[in-house]
Every structure is written in structure tokens, then in C-alpha cells.
Amino acid sequence: MSYPLKVIVVVAHPDEAELYTGGTTARLARAGAAVKYLSLTNGDAGHHQVSRKPLRRRRANEAYAAARHLGVLDYEILNIHDGELMPDAALRRALIASVRRWQADIVITFHDDCPGHTDNRMAGRAVREAAGFFANANVVPGMPALAKPPICLKITDHWAIEAHRHDVVIGVDPFIDQKLKACDEHASQFYEFALYERGMRNDTIAQSSWEERRAFILKNWAEFMYASPDMLTALAALDSEAEAPRFAESFQLADYGRETTAADVYDLLCTGRPIKE
């Protein structure tokens, strides 16, 4: 007997799972895997003009719209203020419960051991500290424990690029428009707050054509879209028959969770094959 591969992507803010894993998760969903996104904060600090309460609602609506482009089945957003994420016992319990409700085979999250956004690092740290309890029935006893620990993977964000290791690289060329359309739904970030933070002025981009918005995201977030030379080298080592993709996403095997190999993870992420009991 087998059941669909179940994957959960744990990030700090709505929009990050889409940007860093959208192509791979769309690929998995197309293959029949069950994919969930979990944002540990509600993103209510991520704007220069909109206050917390309306921004929280707006970002949730953007997230749910983005999920539809990718085939993501569930998008859970914890009601924790953006900028205040702490890997304490309460967060650990909430994270364990969410992973167990999904009965996840694979947990994907940020690096926790390099410079960068505090919330992102705390999200990675929370997963690291919770990983040993996902299969422990005595912790969060009201939620059935996993039968075995999940595979845990790390993704790169802006600050982790130099620290990240390309253990598994997934070409996402057939899914790039799904990923870009998911990012496009997060207008508060890609067309407003990010421009403000970068000192850019482009008040008309959100009202421009899809082709112009598509090109804008590809240009300004190129490092999370295109396959780098290092990624292509890693992919060739994993799969000598794979065609070099234009677009790709990269994953590092975490030093916690279920022991596995890059080859096995590559097979799972490429095929979304069912898990046998």
C-alpha cells in the first residue's frame, strides 16, 4: 500500500515559500504529492505604508491566491507578529502539531546558522529544535506522532547564498510561470515593499501587463530563479542525463531529521513518487 508524498515548507513570512520553492512544489503537486506551506509569522511588518492589521489580512489573501497557482493544498499562517519570531516552546509545539497534522515525509525550511533576517533564521532554528520530536508521541500528545522522522531540507534566501550547499538541484523550467504568477499575487511585497527597501521607484509596475511584471520579477529576483553554474554542476553530478535547465531551485540536506542521500531526495522531488508503507 502507498500514499501520496507529503511535503511541508516552513518559512517565516508569506511569499517566501513561493519564491524559494515554488517551482519544485508546483512540480510535486503536478505529480500527485500533497504540499503545504506554513508561515510562522503573519507578515504584518512587511510594508512601509500599510499598518499591521490590514496588512495581515492582505498578506493572507495574497498567500491563498498564490497557492492556487501552484497546486498547494494548504497554506497555514500562524498569528505571530512579523519581526517577533522566537523559537520557544510554544512555537515548537505549534510547529510539531502542524507537521503531524500533515503527516509530512519532507520538511523544507531556512538555514538557521548564518547571517540574515532574524525571523528566517528563527524559523530554521525552530525546525531544527522540533525535528527530534516529530516522531515522539510523548511530546504534543494530542496530535498523532509521525511513524518516522521526516527528511529535512534547507533552502537559501538572500543571506544564505554563500553558506548554502547545492546537494539537490531541481530544474523547474516547465513550472516557472506558475512560480512567477504565485509571486505576482504578493503585490504588497514584490511591487511595493521590496521596491521601497531597495530605494526603487516604480509606481506603475503593479498595473502593467503580465509580460512586464514577469520580466520585472525575473530581473530583480534573478538569484532565486535562474540556474547558476554551481547548480548546473551539482545537477550534472546527480543526473548525467538531465538537460541543463534555465530555471532551477536548490536544496541542502539538513544535519537533522531522517538520514538520506542526495540521490534519494532528488528522486523524490523530481517524481513526487508515493511513499510505500
Side-chain angles (χ1 to χ4, degrees), residues 108-178:
I108 301 172
T109 193
F110 284 124
H111 286 259
D112 62 295
D113 51 357
C114 59
H117 194 301
T118 298
D119 284 347
N120 292 11
R121 299 299 149 246
M122 294 303 98
R125 180 176 166 189
V127 174
R128 174 187 289 277
E129 294 181 353
F133 300 110
F134 291 143
N136 186 329
N138 286 328
V139 179
V140 191
M143 191 65 59
L146 300 186
K148 56 184 176 181
I151 294 168
C152 295
L153 305 175
K154 297 182 182 182
I155 51 175
T156 181
D157 59 13
H158 174 76
W159 300 274
I161 290 175
E162 297 302 319
H164 184 76
R165 190 176 67 236
H166 302 298
D167 290 331
V168 179
V169 174
I170 304 297
V172 299
D173 288 16
F175 305 95
I176 190 61
D177 272 358
Q178 288 176 252

Side-chain angles (χ1 to χ4, degrees), residues 85-107:
L85 191 64
M86 292 296 293
D88 55 17
L91 179 63
R92 187 160 58 250
R93 287 193 295 269
L95 176 57
I96 291 169
S98 185
V99 169
R100 287 183 180 175
R101 275 194 299 270
W102 203 245
Q103 286 292 294
D105 302 297
I106 299 176
V107 178

Side-chain angles (χ1 to χ4, degrees), residues 15 68 72 77 88 132 157 170 198 206 240 244 256:
D15 80 276
R68 290 194 288 270
V72 170
I77 302 172
D88 55 17
D157 59 13
I170 304 297
R198 297 180 184 193
S240 60
Y256 52 86

Side-chain angles (χ1 to χ4, degrees), residues 222-244:
E223 64 269 43
F224 306 114
M225 302 291 173
Y226 294 99
S228 69
D230 287 346
M231 291 166 72
L232 293 177
T233 298
L235 176 58
L238 271 175
D239 185 353
S240 60
E241 297 182 0
E243 293 186 12

Side-chain angles (χ1 to χ4, degrees), residues 7-255:
V7 179
I8 186 169
V9 183
V10 181
V11 291
H13 311 95
D15 80 276
E16 291 166 340
E18 295 89 319
L19 178 60
Y20 305 128
T21 74
T24 300
T25 50
R27 180 174 188 153
L28 286 165
R30 177 77 61 85
V35 179
K36 172 178 179 172
Y37 286 171
L38 170 62
S39 176
L40 299 183
T41 81
N42 58 25
D44 62 358
H47 210 279
H48 53 297
Q49 293 175 323
V50 183
S51 61
R52 280 190 184 270
K53 190 172 182 179
L55 182 60
R56 179 187 68 196
R57 291 195 297 265
R58 182 180 176 190
R59 295 200 68 182
N61 287 332
E62 290 175 339
Y64 304 147
R68 290 194 288 270
H69 290 289
L70 301 172
V72 170
L73 297 180
D74 188 17
Y75 206 130
E76 182 180 4
I77 302 172
L78 300 188
N79 194 25
I80 296 174
H81 287 309
D82 186 352
E84 299 181 10
L85 191 64
M86 292 296 293
D88 55 17
L91 179 63
R92 187 160 58 250
R93 287 193 295 269
L95 176 57
I96 291 169
S98 185
V99 169
R100 287 183 180 175
R101 275 194 299 270
W102 203 245
Q103 286 292 294
D105 302 297
I106 299 176
V107 178
I108 301 172
T109 193
F110 284 124
H111 286 259
D112 62 295
D113 51 357
C114 59
H117 194 301
T118 298
D119 284 347
N120 292 11
R121 299 299 149 246
M122 294 303 98
R125 180 176 166 189
V127 174
R128 174 187 289 277
E129 294 181 353
F133 300 110
F134 291 143
N136 186 329
N138 286 328
V139 179
V140 191
M143 191 65 59
L146 300 186
K148 56 184 176 181
I151 294 168
C152 295
L153 305 175
K154 297 182 182 182
I155 51 175
T156 181
D157 59 13
H158 174 76
W159 300 274
I161 290 175
E162 297 302 319
H164 184 76
R165 190 176 67 236
H166 302 298
D167 290 331
V168 179
V169 174
I170 304 297
V172 299
D173 288 16
F175 305 95
I176 190 61
D177 272 358
Q178 288 176 252
K179 175 176 179 174
L180 292 169
K181 287 178 179 177
C183 293
D184 178 66
E185 295 288 358
H186 291 278
S188 69
Q189 303 306 297
F190 288 90
Y191 306 138
E192 297 172 22
F193 189 50
L195 273 63
Y196 170 78
E197 287 193 308
R198 297 180 184 193
M200 300 168 61
R201 288 298 302 273
N202 194 329
D203 297 332
T204 63
I205 185 62
Q207 288 75 45
S208 63
S209 69
W210 163 240
E211 289 73 19
E212 290 172 310
R213 301 197 313 275
R214 182 184 190 278
F216 179 84
I217 297 172
L218 281 174
K219 176 183 177 181
N220 289 285
W221 284 270
E223 64 269 43
F224 306 114
M225 302 291 173
Y226 294 99
S228 69
D230 287 346
M231 291 166 72
L232 293 177
T233 298
L235 176 58
L238 271 175
D239 185 353
S240 60
E241 297 182 0
E243 293 186 12
R246 185 182 184 198
F247 303 103
E249 293 166 353
S250 175
F251 304 87
Q252 179 175 323
L253 302 181
D255 56 349

